[in-house]
Amino acid sequence: MLKYAIRRILYMFPILLGITLVTFLLFNVAGGDPAVQMAGKYATEAEIEAIRKDLGTSGPLYVQFGNYIKQIVTFDFGRSWATKQEVTRMIFGEEFRTSPMLVSVSLTFPAFFITLVLAISIGLLLTFYRGGVLDKSIMVVCLGAISISSLVYILFLQYYLGYKLGLFPISGISYDWVDKWNYLALPIIIFVALSLGSNVLFFRTIFLDEVFQDYVRTARAKGLSNKVVMFRHVLRNALIPIITLVVIQIPFLITGTLLIESFFSLPGLGGLIYNAINNADFPVIKAMTFISAVLYMFFQLLSDILYAVVDPKVQLK
Amino acid sequence: MSDLLQIKNLTVEFQTDDGPVEAVRNVSFNIPKGKTVGLVGESGSGKSVSSLAVMQLIPNPPGRVKNGEIIFDGENLLDHSDAKMRKVRGNRISMIFQEPMTSLNPVFTVGDQIIESLMLHKKMNKKQALDRAIELLDQVGIPDPKTRVHAYPHEMSGGQRQRVMIAMAISCEPELLIADEPTTALDVTIQKQILELIADLQKKYGMSVLFITHDLGVIADIADDVVVMYRGDIVEKGTTEQIFKQPKHPYTKGLIACRPMLEQNPARLPTVSDFMTVDGKEIDYKATPVEKTVRPITSDQPVLLEIKNINKHFPLHKSFFGKVTEWLRAVDGVSLKVHKGRTLGLVGESGCGKTTLGRTILRLIEPTNGDIFYNGTNITELNKEEMREMRKKMQIIFQDPYASLNPRMTIGMAIMEPMIIHKIGKNKQEQMDRAASLMEKVGLKPEMLNRYPHEFSGGQRQRICIARALAVEPDFIICDESVSALDVSVQAQILNLLLDLQEEMGLTYVFISHDLAVVKFFSDEVAVMNKGKVVEMSDAVSIYKSPKDPYTKKLLEAIPRGIPKTMLPSS
Amino acid sequence: MIRKSQNSLWNDAFQRLKKNKLSMVCLFIIIAYIILALGCKLGLFFPSFNETNNAISYQAPSAEHWFGTDFMGRDVMARAAHGTLTSLTVGLWGTGLAVIIGTLLGSLAGYFGKLVDEGIVWLYTTIDTIPYILLVSAFSLVLGPSLYTLCIAIGLTTWVGLCRVVRAEFIKHREKEYVQAASSIGASHARRIFTHILPNVFHIVLIQFSLGFVSTIKSEVILSFLGLGVEPGTPSWGVMINNAKQELARGVWWGLASATLLMFVLVLAFNLFNDALRDALDPKLKNKS
């Protein structure tokens, strides 16, 4: 087990190198010379060079790459082009209470949890009554639900529940531990609404895969009731893909949801990325790309290790 | 003696894309108390469906019991509510399935799975149930049951898993045990142990057993009564002795006659089609069996293939830095000679290395070391281009006729492909004509060339594979378990075809199989493999009459005799 | 010459698909969309979609403008119809590119294994690790937003899923006996890959293409909304929905409604068709649901 984990951790280094290379290629090589754009039409060569120095884009490529590695190692991604603030500070915030990450996580974690509980229960229900009217009609509803753009969900629900009915505030956040839920309630509802359909379909497929396994027939041959077969045998096996799925989602939850946060002007990481994209703010995008990739890599590792823990079939050699 | 189970006029129907299909039609038979009834039939005969109907485990939809009664201990099971039926399942009737790999839940320990029925039906608490589970594991012959009760299914061998399934099935001391092909996936030596175990437990608990199998040899060993099914109907039923001594239905006659038996030496095997037309009419078959003439292998018999000290090792364990610390010696220093125009049988149980050896001879797998001489050329030294040329001379026919044809290619294309690769035949028309004549040679209609593999039966597909192998006019063919996946009646036809082709074209065969009776029938010489090594090699008759190696003896003893106990001379 | 049998697996699959009435309706809808898009492309339908007239901005649906007009007085129906063209173009080229890359790399990795495999797996793990939206936005920012940038960005980032599936299929198939049989008659690597294995995994590529098409259409809308998609002025459902952000409060609902409706019908038809397609091409799965 330990050997497997160590090997798996060592495997992260080539991937880390790959991420560094790809982001570097994209922003420093293919991206052209941002200094020329930033300096404006009438800048002198000296002014442009000064900006280049500031951005870490002066000198030959290998020097630039060296600078980039330095940025990564020191975790200092320079200053935002748009706000001139330090990028690291923008991402992690001044203090924990107001940090963008906490805003994103307060929105996504509860929302994802609610989605999971609902989707798994509905998925089990549909598998239980598979082929029946209930199964078929909910399937159609889910297929319809995933056919609507997520933009429309946000736009419509924000307009109708927030603006028209005035049930919820439609923008901003409070940093008060209680009051903030007032602001987050509608975003959470929207998150659940737009991710429920695809999740139900996903879990239904997973459960159906298990229902037709031979061991289910054996369990029924023992005289166990459908309920016991479903909850004890099927669910326990389906838990293996479910756990890995959940763990793999966590990095996306941490980096927040771009669309919802931008619509509700929430100062989370998603909103940060949205603004950076809008302002072509390369340092922020670069830093966020790198950080998300590392997060993803880390949780991928965790999910692999968990997989080995939950699934007795996986023999680690 | 009274009957425990009576099946009356059972018809089971399945919904398919092409409308309803009756998998079982008007089936009636009885299972007496304490007796074993063998239900025998080839694939698709409806034998498994009948047994699932008893348990009411037929997947619905698409299947349903259309009519009939299943009377168990005086009550019609088909009238039971689901709750009432659950009290029967696993308690009074229990079942063992074919695939011990997939039939156990992989995430629970075997103990967890055994105590489930005990806690449910016998209302034991967990502690009592676990103690009983350990007792049961001990009874079915699992060593160190106190520890093994906490093992997961994947930590056990196939045979042990089937023992666990049996322990689970007998845990509530059922009155009826249904065993659906319980030994088909197992090696013959393991099969013997499992069959003995079932027989012992039956005696001990006084159970009735419904034993479902395609293998008449097994049936003869274990059953008191036999029911023969063919395409959803029962064609014959009677005591085992009646069925084997005086079969009445032509299908039964054919089925019994077409099995190669260790005791006999026929030159050819009769087939079901010798006894019965396709639509079931009886043919008066009177041919007297011709004894096989043993072709002596003299020292001046030319050697076509000689392999010297071949090894194939696969890495099994690697150290942290990727260095191999343990090797699987799949083929471990094998040397063999194959004589021109003769057949060498290669027999052994699963994992003995016979298939790896076969593929290594053709360099489909590269040997770790060793030499292979074909007609004097050492083919392990040939480069890619020379090896490609060599493939014209050496061919292989695989086990699974369903997997060995490309499903997206017409069979005409499949047979012509080797000609295209090796530029045999002047143009497409000539290749097509050759393909057509090959089809006739293997007993298929040339008009079928434009069809796709899924339109053929297993036996027909194996004929196509033979035609494909013959397309390059080889001298040497490896038959790798080529008849193992086929029903016995089809198996006999393919074996006869291969014999005819050998006679006609002077082919040399290496015949790989796990089935010693088939190998003995088909081969001139036999080599027995165990754990990567050839343990014994001799001509086909003497290896059966006077085996020298203890492993060969064990293998021979394990083969079901195919003669009912009551008919054996010793009893 | 003997005529080819009408019973190839492809034909079987098509017959199964034909039996499913709903899927045929969906196919019909998808074809209608394709005709609409082609008509727009050739200038047959709604040639005046770029005509502005500030005098009639934000007109509610009327006999003249069935779906009303937008802030520049352009006909919403014409804009939405041309949005179909944008969507399908991006869907086709973006997904097409991804399918070509994914199939090719997946085949090579799965078939050859060893170093080739490790290299390709490294490449796609790296790409997969970087969040899709950030990768695409980086592409768009670097290359400048345009329809073609969008296609390339989507193509270069979404091949990973398909590559994984194709690789796994190749690993499964390369050990199968029909491939072993091909090598035993001396077939070359290319022959084994392209005439033997690929036709046998192609139905999976087809399913993945169809699934990818749907998600590309959905991505286009979101990327255009983020300003990373098409050039300004190009009609796009995403841009129309983005505009609705300001319009809704003023009671202008028709822009949002028509883009949403057009997209909904297309995507739903695709989703239902995909389900049927999967059942038809992979009948083993069918009995499961």
Side-chain angles (χ1 to χ4, degrees):
Chain A
M1 182 74 214
L2 186 69
K3 229 164 94 180
Y4 170 79
I6 293 174
R7 190 190 299 278
R8 191 60 192 69
I9 288 166
L10 287 180
Y11 185 65
M12 286 167 78
F13 285 96
I15 302 299
L16 200 60
L17 181 74
I19 298 164
T20 317
L21 270 174
V22 170
T23 42
F24 178 74
L25 277 176
L26 264 178
F27 292 103
N28 289 52
V29 182
D33 195 342
V36 178
Q37 293 164 21
M38 286 182 73
K41 268 183 193 164
Y42 308 105
T44 63
E45 186 55 35
E47 283 170 339
I48 295 174
E49 186 56 34
I51 297 175
R52 280 197 193 119
K53 273 232 167 67
D54 203 35
L55 299 179
T57 60
S58 72
L61 279 180
Y62 66 89
V63 176
Q64 292 185 32
F65 191 65
N67 284 339
Y68 184 40
I69 299 282
K70 206 176 113 195
Q71 286 186 335
I72 290 166
V73 173
T74 57
F75 222 74
D76 174 8
F77 290 93
R79 286 176 183 274
S80 153
W81 295 353
T83 64
K84 309 293 178 208
Q85 270 180 294
E86 269 177 52
V87 173
T88 329
R89 196 158 282 229
M90 283 170 79
I91 292 170
F92 293 98
E94 300 292 336
E95 56 169 318
F96 177 70
R97 196 172 56 89
T98 61
S99 70
M101 200 183 283
L102 185 66
V103 173
S104 290
V105 167
S106 314
L107 160 59
T108 54
F109 272 43
F112 184 60
F113 181 74
I114 295 169
T115 311
L116 267 186
V117 171
L118 285 176
I120 291 177
S121 330
I122 299 173
L124 270 176
L125 196 74
L126 297 190
T127 315
F128 204 82
Y129 295 107
R130 60 184 173 275
V133 185
L134 182 80
D135 181 27
K136 279 185 181 145
S137 38
I138 292 188
M139 279 276 284
V140 171
V141 171
C142 286
L143 280 173
I146 61 167
S147 301
I148 301 169
S149 174
S150 35
L151 286 172
V152 175
Y153 281 98
I154 306 173
L155 210 56
F156 181 75
L157 289 175
Q158 187 187 31
Y159 171 73
Y160 195 75
L161 296 181
Y163 181 80
K164 199 90 180 188
L165 298 181
L167 296 174
F168 304 97
I170 54 171
S171 90
I173 184 78
S174 157
Y175 290 115
D176 182 85
W177 290 109
V178 178
D179 191 34
K180 79 179 192 188
W181 300 110
N182 202 9
Y183 290 89
L184 288 174
L186 185 53
I188 288 175
I189 291 172
I190 293 174
F191 186 109
V192 173
L194 63 83
S195 52
L196 194 59
S198 58
N199 275 292
V200 168
L201 291 176
F202 176 82
F203 288 121
R204 180 178 174 275
T205 316
I206 286 190
F207 293 137
L208 272 183
D209 268 354
E210 292 297 332
V211 165
F212 290 91
Q213 301 289 333
D214 282 351
Y215 72 80
V216 174
R217 189 180 57 184
T218 310
R220 294 193 54 212
K222 280 185 213 168
L224 299 176
S225 69
N226 281 337
K227 235 180 262 155
V228 176
V229 172
M230 229 24 209
F231 282 97
R232 204 174 126 77
H233 288 262
V234 172
L235 190 60
R236 177 65 181 76
N237 273 278
L239 219 55
I240 297 163
I242 291 175
I243 286 178
T244 49
L245 169 99
V246 168
V247 174
I248 221 79
Q249 291 290 320
I250 295 175
F252 298 108
L253 301 180
I254 294 173
T255 52
T257 105
L258 212 92
L259 296 176
I260 297 180
E261 288 178 26
S262 81
F263 268 93
F264 284 88
S265 310
L266 292 173
L269 286 179
L272 192 74
I273 297 170
Y274 176 79
N275 290 334
I277 291 174
N278 262 344
N279 301 324
D281 196 345
F282 277 25
V284 176
I285 296 179
K286 203 155 106 180
M288 278 311 296
T289 307
F290 190 80
I291 291 171
S292 323
V294 172
L295 272 177
Y296 182 77
M297 208 169 66
F298 178 74
F299 280 96
Q300 177 90 57
L301 165 78
L302 195 67
S303 119
D304 280 2
I305 291 176
L306 263 180
Y307 187 88
V309 174
V310 255
D311 189 351
K313 272 176 297 183
V314 177
Q315 280 168 313
L316 304 169
K317 280 182 184 162
Chain B
M1 188 163 287
S2 64
D3 290 328
L4 178 69
L5 186 86
Q6 293 169 296
I7 296 179
K8 290 181 184 166
N9 300 319
L10 179 72
T11 300
V12 180
E13 186 181 81
F14 280 83
Q15 276 312 321
T16 69
D17 281 352
D18 308 316
V21 172
E22 286 178 355
V24 169
R25 265 180 310 272
N26 274 326
V27 160
S28 308
F29 65 92
N30 303 336
I31 302 175
K33 266 194 183 121
K35 294 278 181 187
T36 299
V37 175
L39 187 56
V40 68
E42 295 179 290
S43 49
S45 61
K47 54 192 193 305
S48 286
V49 172
S50 313
S51 65
L52 285 174
V54 174
M55 291 292 271
Q56 289 189 31
L57 284 177
I58 291 176
N60 178 14
R64 72 185 182 95
V65 174
K66 202 172 161 193
N67 60 49
E69 285 173 78
I70 298 172
I71 314 280
F72 177 69
D73 201 17
E75 285 181 85
N76 185 358
L77 293 180
L78 295 174
D79 292 340
H80 278 16
S81 68
D82 189 48
K84 205 168 167 197
M85 191 60 212
R86 283 207 302 272
K87 293 212 170 74
V88 177
R89 270 190 223 131
N91 187 20
R92 303 184 63 193
I93 308 178
S94 57
M95 193 158 177
I96 322 168
F97 301 97
Q98 176 174 354
E99 290 293 337
M101 301 286 180
T102 53
S103 294
L104 289 167
N105 191 333
V107 300
F108 293 121
T109 62
V110 297
D112 281 340
Q113 300 186 56
I114 298 173
I115 63 172
E116 242 179 352
S117 340
L118 290 168
M119 288 164 73
L120 179 75
H121 298 299
K122 297 288 173 215
K123 309 286 175 239
M124 290 185 182
N125 66 31
K126 200 164 177 182
K127 176 82 185 45
Q128 295 167 319
L130 205 61
D131 288 344
R132 175 81 182 124
I134 294 169
E135 262 174 57
L136 284 163
L137 285 179
D138 191 37
Q139 268 182 35
V140 297
I142 299 273
D144 190 14
K146 273 205 178 91
T147 328
R148 298 303 274 167
V149 77
H150 301 296
Y152 286 99
H154 73 265
E155 295 167 321
M156 299 184 143
S157 69
Q160 284 185 327
R161 268 178 248 183
Q162 200 58 293
R163 288 173 193 269
V164 170
M165 280 297 289
I166 294 172
M168 226 155 82
I170 59 159
S171 60
C172 298
E173 298 171 24
E175 291 140 81
L176 174 64
L177 176 70
I178 302 175
D180 186 0
E181 302 259 13
T183 57
T184 306
L186 304 173
D187 275 327
V188 59
T189 48
I190 311 287
Q191 161 169 300
K192 188 178 186 218
Q193 296 166 6
I194 297 288
L195 292 178
E196 283 168 356
L197 175 65
I198 292 176
D200 284 352
L201 292 168
Q202 174 180 25
K203 231 176 265 158
K204 182 166 178 191
Y205 292 107
M207 295 183 291
S208 304
V209 174
L210 176 60
F211 196 97
I212 298 154
T213 181
H214 67 283
D215 189 341
L216 272 169
V218 171
I219 283 289
D221 275 10
I222 195 165
D224 300 302
D225 294 333
V226 177
V227 177
V228 184
M229 283 190 81
Y230 178 63
R231 295 190 183 165
D233 295 309
I234 288 180
V235 292
E236 189 163 358
K237 51 188 171 184
T239 65
T240 310
E241 199 173 326
Q242 277 169 357
I243 295 283
F244 278 82
K245 230 180 201 164
Q246 295 151 327
K248 289 194 191 71
H249 194 273
Y251 177 72
T252 321
K253 287 181 191 167
L255 212 54
I256 291 171
C258 71
R259 283 175 316 123
M261 303 256 279
L262 281 174
E263 288 81 2
Q264 299 161 355
N265 280 315
R268 287 175 63 89
L269 291 169
T271 65
V272 170
S273 53
D274 290 331
F275 293 88
M276 188 176 80
T277 61
V278 183
D279 41 4
K281 289 208 180 64
E282 180 155 12
I283 302 171
D284 200 14
Y285 179 72
K286 285 267 158 52
T288 41
V290 182
E291 271 291 298
K292 181 161 126 184
T293 45
V294 179
R295 299 180 288 189
I297 292 166
T298 51
S299 53
D300 58 336
Q301 183 77 22
V303 173
L304 184 67
L305 179 90
E306 178 168 13
I307 58 181
K308 283 185 180 162
N309 201 21
I310 279 285
N311 284 290
K312 177 66 201 181
H313 299 168
F314 295 103
L316 203 60
H317 281 289
K318 282 184 182 172
S319 74
F320 187 75
F321 298 102
K323 197 163 174 279
V324 180
T325 53
E326 200 182 333
W327 294 92
L328 171 73
R329 296 173 194 277
V331 177
D332 198 7
V334 170
S335 301
L336 286 172
K337 277 182 191 162
V338 186
H339 295 93
K340 200 170 165 62
R342 298 295 158 82
T343 303
L344 172 72
L346 207 53
V347 69
E349 294 183 293
S350 58
C352 74
K354 56 188 191 302
T355 291
T356 311
L357 178 62
R359 295 191 184 186
T360 312
I361 293 174
L362 294 185
R363 281 184 66 195
L364 292 174
I365 300 173
E366 293 293 334
T368 308
N369 54 46
D371 298 309
I372 304 165
F373 293 95
Y374 181 83
N375 234 346
T377 321
N378 187 348
I379 65 167
T380 56
E381 288 166 357
L382 298 183
N383 67 25
K384 231 173 141 187
E385 212 32 64
E386 292 165 335
M387 194 58 217
R388 183 170 301 175
E389 274 307 298
M390 197 47 107
R391 300 213 179 281
K392 268 199 279 191
K393 310 229 172 69
M394 312 166 81
Q395 277 298 309
I396 180 165
I397 301 161
F398 294 97
Q399 169 173 12
D400 185 353
Y402 293 87
S404 52
L405 287 167
N406 183 340
R408 309 259 170 195
M409 216 181 231
T410 62
I411 61 159
M413 195 52 215
I415 298 175
M416 280 157 64
E417 197 186 15
M419 303 183 214
I420 295 167
I421 291 170
H422 293 287
K423 307 203 172 50
I424 298 171
K426 277 195 281 301
N427 51 34
K428 209 168 175 210
Q429 189 54 50
E430 203 183 308
Q431 290 171 342
M432 194 91 88
D433 292 343
R434 279 177 49 93
S437 70
L438 283 168
M439 286 287 277
E440 277 177 343
K441 197 171 244 173
V442 298
L444 293 171
K445 291 197 187 86
E447 298 93 87
M448 293 171 167
L449 273 178
N450 61 346
R451 297 211 189 149
Y452 286 89
H454 68 270
E455 299 172 68
F456 293 89
S457 69
Q460 285 175 319
R461 285 188 218 205
Q462 208 56 305
R463 287 172 192 268
I464 295 162
C465 293
I466 294 171
R468 175 176 59 189
L470 293 177
V472 290
E473 299 180 335
D475 303 316
F476 172 72
I477 296 179
I478 292 180
C479 305
D480 183 4
E481 297 268 16
S482 304
V483 295
S484 313
L486 305 172
D487 281 328
V488 265
S489 59
V490 183
Q491 171 179 308
Q493 293 170 7
I494 299 293
L495 288 171
N496 288 339
L497 172 66
L498 287 169
L499 284 177
D500 292 346
L501 290 169
Q502 181 170 46
E503 199 163 312
E504 192 185 326
M505 304 166 77
L507 295 169
T508 308
Y509 292 130
V510 166
F511 188 86
I512 300 171
S513 177
H514 68 281
D515 188 336
L516 195 49
V518 173
V519 169
K520 180 185 164 264
F521 160 72
F522 193 75
S523 314
D524 299 294
E525 287 181 283
V526 176
V528 181
M529 274 189 87
N530 186 27
K531 293 177 183 162
K533 288 186 161 67
V534 169
V535 294
E536 184 166 6
M537 186 166 162
S538 159
D539 70 273
V541 176
S542 45
I543 211 155
Y544 160 66
K545 283 213 173 113
S546 49
K548 292 186 183 66
D549 188 82
Y551 177 74
T552 315
K553 284 180 194 156
K554 194 175 140 200
L555 213 55
L556 278 165
E557 273 164 21
I559 295 177
R561 305 298 293 277
I563 303 168
K565 280 165 259 175
T566 50
M567 285 164 72
L568 281 175
S570 55
S571 58
Chain C
M1 277 295 281
I2 307 171
R3 278 213 353 267
K4 263 205 169 176
S5 163
Q6 291 299 301
N7 293 318
S8 75
L9 291 180
W10 288 112
N11 201 27
D12 277 8
F14 184 65
Q15 295 305 329
R16 274 195 294 272
L17 198 60
K18 264 199 343 204
K19 269 189 200 158
N20 185 336
K21 291 285 176 296
L22 183 63
S23 79
M24 283 295 113
V25 173
C26 292
L27 186 64
F28 184 74
I29 293 172
I30 293 166
I31 291 172
Y33 269 85
I34 294 172
I35 292 171
L36 175 66
L38 277 178
C40 290
K41 175 96 184 160
L42 299 172
L44 299 175
F45 308 142
F46 309 107
S48 56
F49 70 101
N50 259 338
E51 234 166 60
T52 57
N53 180 358
N54 286 333
I56 55 164
S57 73
Y58 285 144
Q59 283 200 338
S62 64
E64 200 184 338
H65 298 286
W66 290 5
F67 288 0
T69 61
D70 68 2
F71 65 106
M72 287 165 90
R74 293 175 298 196
D75 184 55
V76 168
M77 189 159 76
R79 300 296 292 176
H82 275 264
T84 310
L85 175 60
T86 308
S87 244
L88 291 186
T89 309
V90 177
L92 184 65
W93 294 114
T95 319
L97 186 62
V99 163
I100 291 169
I101 300 174
T103 309
L104 199 69
L105 292 184
S107 313
L108 295 178
Y111 181 81
F112 287 107
K114 296 186 184 135
L115 266 183
V116 181
D117 187 36
E118 277 177 33
I120 292 171
V121 169
W122 171 79
L123 184 67
Y124 75 56
T125 315
T126 302
I127 303 247
D128 200 35
T129 305
I130 303 171
Y132 166 73
I133 197 89
L134 283 166
L135 201 56
V136 173
S137 57
F139 266 108
S140 289
L141 289 175
V142 163
L143 300 174
S146 85
L147 200 61
Y148 299 102
T149 310
L150 192 60
C151 294
I152 293 171
I154 288 178
L156 288 181
T157 48
T158 55
W159 56 271
V160 173
L162 176 76
C163 185
R164 263 209 190 103
V165 177
V166 172
R167 174 177 171 268
E169 284 295 314
F170 261 76
I171 291 174
K172 204 169 81 193
H173 278 266
R174 75 171 177 208
E175 301 300 332
K176 283 206 176 168
E177 289 186 342
Y178 76 91
V179 182
Q180 298 270 323
S183 34
S184 76
I185 56 169
S188 60
H189 288 308
R191 193 177 187 94
R192 274 178 262 168
I193 296 177
F194 294 108
T195 56
H196 285 281
I197 307 182
L198 200 55
N200 279 295
V201 304
F202 200 75
H203 65 287
I204 290 167
V205 175
L206 200 72
I207 292 167
Q208 291 287 325
F209 176 79
S210 197
L211 289 172
F213 206 100
V214 179
S215 48
T216 305
I217 289 174
K218 288 162 94 177
S219 297
E220 187 270 328
V221 169
I222 288 174
L223 292 171
S224 292
F225 165 81
L226 290 174
L228 297 169
V230 295
E231 304 100 318
T234 310
S236 149
W237 295 336
V239 175
M240 291 173 76
I241 295 173
N242 187 21
N243 292 340
K245 229 169 140 182
Q246 280 84 45
E247 293 170 357
L248 267 189
R250 304 170 57 166
V252 178
W253 51 268
W254 44 89
L256 176 68
S258 47
T260 305
L261 191 71
L262 235 65
M263 182 179 158
F264 174 72
V265 173
L266 176 63
V267 175
L268 182 63
F270 246 115
N271 280 331
L272 290 169
F273 180 72
N274 281 343
D275 251 24
L277 188 70
R278 214 174 353 202
D279 290 347
L281 290 176
D282 215 344
K284 268 168 280 164
L285 290 173
K286 190 185 174 187
N287 295 334
K288 289 187 171 183
S289 51

